[in-house]
Amino acid sequence: MKSAFGGLDVEIASVIGNHDTLRSLIKRFDIPFVLVSHEGLSREEHDNRMADEIDRYQPDYVVWRNICAC
């Protein structure tokens, strides 16, 4: 949100996640949201799909937040 109000000098290319909970918030800032569900996938398959989506946007940097409820 800071980037939308001038607090960060960045352009957010997209938000990619495996849960849909942030979609409505992200859309308010006109940032693409991509859902890559983990359901029925191995960790490797999910990581590969996430990497494919990241590559599609060709960002300079990636901020990856991994929360495991293990």
Side-chain angles (χ1 to χ4, degrees):
M1 287 198 260
K2 284 185 175 184
S3 67
F5 298 105
L8 292 175
D9 188 20
V10 298
E11 177 185 338
I12 299 173
S14 71
V15 173
I16 303 168
N18 65 337
H19 294 284
D20 211 28
T21 54
L22 290 177
R23 181 185 298 270
S24 62
L25 174 64
I26 301 306
K27 291 293 183 182
R28 291 182 193 170
F29 294 95
D30 201 29
I31 298 169
F33 178 85
V34 179
L35 175 65
V36 179
S37 178
H38 62 283
E39 297 290 325
L41 300 177
S42 69
R43 177 66 184 252
E44 183 178 1
E45 290 170 324
H46 184 256
D47 286 352
N48 287 337
R49 289 187 186 185
M50 292 288 284
D52 289 343
E53 287 299 327
I54 292 168
D55 287 346
R56 196 163 67 104
Y57 288 94
Q58 298 187 352
D60 292 328
Y61 300 96
V62 174
V63 177
W64 185 285
R65 182 158 186 215
N66 185 15
I67 301 173
C68 181
C70 305

